[in-house]
Amino acid sequence: MNKATRKAVIAGNWKMNKTPAETTALINEMKPLVAGADCDVVLCVPFVDIAAAVEAAKGSNIKIGAENVHFKASGAYTGEVSAEMLTACGVEYVVIGHSERRQYFGETDQTVNLRTLAALSAGLTAIVCVGETLEQRELGYTETLLKYQTKMALTNVSAEQLKNIIIAYEPVWAIGTGVTATAEQADEGNGFVREAIAEMFGKEVSETVTVQYGGSMNAKNADELLSKVNVDGGLIGGASLKAEDFSVIVKAASK
Ligand code: PGA
């Protein structure tokens, strides 16, 4: 982490977990544990839990995010939710292009870009996910792929809007598998993302963008991962469903 030039952000990604009542209970449990953190703390929750999450997080340092957003403002898009709908509910962040959406729901680099632009226009902070599969890594394409995905996601994003962008490097082979990238692999992957940003916006600007690592980050390995200069925080799946574990990660990022 380089706190001199950028913000540390720990974001939970609850995926398809928790009812509204469970959301209230978990956030109430987390609030005292993460109070006073020296990093931004975000919980990205299912759409139906947003109202409960925003209410429970009121007056605390926890900010609420969604897990996806549509790129149109309104219209015949059954099952989708617009950026304006999210901001109207008190949402400040949104996860875009998570590998599960790319893998199971046909998300492409083009739609990731459109969703990112829509989120930024509405004033949301976009947490854009990039990451290689094991096959792509073994074939030696990690750098090429991470740079391509990053550049595609940031197409037509202005330098000013970049302030509301977080990139999460999440190797697909490390998500939900218990297999964490080594701290060196995380640092290297995050470094490729930062290089791609530098190629688009210049080196100085790239040093200001928060790049998270995600993929089986937990209470045990967070310290080591976050000690790397390019790892500015984490996107946390499984461990964000446990108040104690999540708070240990938040404390590691606060150092
Ligand atoms: P995990 O998920 O921490 O459970 O591996 C990370 C993510 O998918 O964002």
Side-chain angles (χ1 to χ4, degrees):
M1 231 173 338
N2 180 355
K3 282 199 174 169
T5 57
R6 47 194 181 254
K7 265 192 303 192
V9 182
I10 298 295
N13 170 18
W14 283 7
K15 310 194 179 186
M16 196 172 74
N17 290 291
K18 303 293 173 189
T19 64
E22 290 166 348
T23 297
T24 304
L26 183 52
I27 293 180
N28 282 338
E29 200 185 339
M30 281 180 175
K31 278 195 289 193
L33 299 176
V34 302
D38 188 20
C39 66
D40 286 356
V41 182
V42 183
L43 293 174
C44 300
V45 304
F47 291 133
V48 295
D49 295 330
I50 286 170
V54 168
E55 183 60 32
K58 258 188 198 147
S60 79
N61 58 333
I62 298 175
K63 306 213 172 87
I64 301 305
E67 298 178 14
N68 195 15
V69 62
H70 193 58
F71 36 87
K72 295 283 190 181
S74 63
Y77 302 100
T78 303
E80 294 290 330
V81 169
S82 75
E84 288 74 14
M85 290 172 183
L86 294 177
T87 54
C89 292
V91 168
E92 295 177 73
Y93 291 75
V94 62
V95 177
I96 295 174
H98 190 279
S99 70
E100 287 149 16
R101 299 230 44 102
R102 293 178 190 257
Q103 201 177 338
Y104 307 132
F105 303 102
E107 193 77 65
T108 66
D109 289 310
Q110 281 78 15
T111 54
V112 167
N113 177 237
L114 293 174
R115 291 182 205 276
T116 302
L117 294 172
L120 292 172
S121 300
L124 291 163
T125 294
I127 302 176
V128 181
C129 303
V130 298
E132 82 289 0
T133 62
L134 188 57
E135 189 188 16
Q136 289 162 337
R137 171 167 284 266
E138 285 171 350
L139 287 169
Y141 294 148
T142 302
E143 176 174 355
T144 310
L145 189 96
L146 292 182
K147 288 190 170 178
Y148 178 77
Q149 287 185 340
T150 302
K151 289 181 181 181
M152 286 293 286
L154 298 181
T155 299
N156 296 323
V157 170
S158 68
E160 182 60 29
Q161 287 175 318
L162 205 59
K163 292 187 180 121
N164 289 327
I165 288 279
I166 294 170
I167 306 280
Y169 165 49
E170 299 205 305
V172 178
W173 46 272
I175 296 175
T177 56
V179 181
T180 318
T182 63
E184 288 67 33
Q185 286 170 325
D187 196 42
E188 184 187 48
N190 282 27
F192 293 147
V193 169
R194 201 175 307 288
E195 272 172 40
I197 299 170
E199 285 162 18
M200 289 179 90
F201 296 93
K203 186 156 171 46
E204 202 174 317
V205 171
S206 79
E207 290 294 330
T208 65
V209 179
T210 296
V211 184
Q212 299 173 319
Y213 167 78
S216 300
M217 192 189 276
N218 59 40
K220 289 205 178 78
N221 60 27
D223 238 347
E224 196 190 346
L225 288 163
L226 292 166
S227 72
K228 292 295 176 187
V229 69
N230 275 313
V231 181
D232 309 320
L235 184 57
I236 322 294
S240 72
L241 296 168
K242 296 178 199 136
E244 187 64 44
D245 288 20
F246 187 66
S247 74
V248 171
I249 301 170
V250 166
K251 281 176 190 127
S254 301
K255 284 181 188 162

